[in-house]
Amino acid sequence: MAPSTGRGLMLDDQDLRSLPQAPLYRTSGTLADGRAIHYYDDGPGHDRRAADERDLAAFTPAAELRIDPLTRQPVLIAAHRQTRTAGSAGGRCPLCPSRPGHPSEIPADDYHVAVFDNRFPSLGGAVGGRTEVVCFSAGHDQSVAALPRQRLETIGRAWADRTARLSELPGVQSVFVFENRGAEVGATLSHPHGQIYAYPYLPPVQAAVVRAARDHRVRHGGCLLCAVVEREAAGPRVVSGTGRFLAYVPEAARWPYEVHIAPRRCAADLTALADDERDELMALYGDLLRRFDGLFDDPTPYMACWHQTPLHHRDVHAHFYGQLFTIRRDVDKLKYLASSESGAGAFINDITPEAAAHRLRQSG
């Protein structure tokens, strides 16, 4: 391992500790306020040793975890996020590479994939856990759907590596990878990026999936998601697929256009895939993003979520899946979470899953 250079920066060799199957072209360092930053490159030979020259106060996460006494569901209180950066007026995007007169969150003057601790985190501190930002490209107007396959593979390696490392943190129970694209779904910055949350508790959706998986194993034996994938593979809701992965609209889809992506075999999370499997998955993911962008005349706002198996429940549930959905139900119509959804938690979908699957097949 190379010695430290610059402001807390240290170059990693082709790191095989987390993913021993393939090299990681990763450079790790420290930002001016003490937060970590990691560059993941498509290949070797890139110098990411630029130091963060900003004058920033020490990083001190300040979130609070409360429990709703009526539903017993956890709620994160993170009032400091009210002051987080929104928009990029004047071209001063905090996720673009740094340039003279514009130091950003990313000190290098170029990058492929960059991951750093969120400056306005929803987790951390007394709550525990961690939130990281994942930038998919140095290009401000780039979209993940348009990235070349090699970059998608780099993103997959970065996701898997961060999953492995965050899973090692004390108290972490679940690692959740996601992307919000578009102002309609709450993205405050248009630069192509996502986040990773390392939760110190089980979020409600994952807790519900664990309960359902446990019940299925007791009643029927075997893996719940394996049974779902086998059933969907022979039905009308398949959108696309490969030899090892299936993309389908779920039978009880909540959103107008929603696709689940699952391995055809049990794999607990992204780290459980071999290199060629993960590369195959990322190629399928890129195909699905392009299908979503083909639905309407302009880029489709979407949320992409990777539901990885919680760390302490793999005895009953060991099969991860991705979820890609949009709140747009037509060119000029959005699916709003009104009283039934927001108040009662009872979703109503205006488009049948079979019709959504048909249109997504046609948009490819």
Side-chain angles (χ1 to χ4, degrees), residues 98-268:
S98 289
R99 63 179 186 272
H102 173 48
S104 74
E105 288 281 73
I106 302 167
D109 60 4
D110 189 24
Y111 66 88
H112 293 162
V113 176
V115 182
F116 57 89
D117 290 329
N118 195 324
R119 190 176 175 185
F120 304 94
S122 300
L123 294 162
V127 169
R130 184 175 295 178
T131 61
E132 295 184 336
V133 176
V134 184
C135 297
F136 304 128
S137 170
H140 181 79
D141 297 317
Q142 183 66 273
S143 70
V144 180
L147 291 173
R149 178 161 180 164
Q150 184 181 24
R151 180 61 50 79
L152 291 173
E153 293 172 357
T154 300
I155 293 170
R157 288 196 297 272
W159 282 346
D161 186 59
R162 300 316 307 158
T163 294
R165 292 175 180 274
L166 292 172
S167 296
E168 295 173 350
L169 295 178
V172 167
Q173 295 192 38
S174 177
V175 178
F176 184 62
V177 177
F178 66 94
E179 178 195 0
N180 300 328
R181 200 276 288 269
E184 298 94 328
V185 298
T188 56
L189 296 171
S190 60
H191 194 107
H193 73 289
Q195 295 193 64
I196 305 177
Y197 279 20
Y199 290 104
Y201 60 90
L202 281 193
V205 168
Q206 294 190 2
V209 171
V210 167
R211 289 193 298 270
R214 178 180 292 110
D215 182 67
H216 179 88
R217 192 170 293 275
V218 169
R219 292 174 179 268
H220 308 287
C223 170
L224 171 59
L225 195 51
C226 280
V228 171
V229 169
E230 182 179 5
R231 182 175 70 247
E232 292 290 352
R237 292 181 292 274
V238 172
V239 175
S240 186
T242 67
R244 292 179 284 195
F245 298 91
L246 184 72
Y248 59 92
V249 177
E251 180 179 10
R254 295 185 172 195
W255 302 97
Y257 294 94
E258 176 180 355
V259 174
H260 287 190
I261 318 156
R264 296 180 190 266
R265 70 169 180 88
C266 281

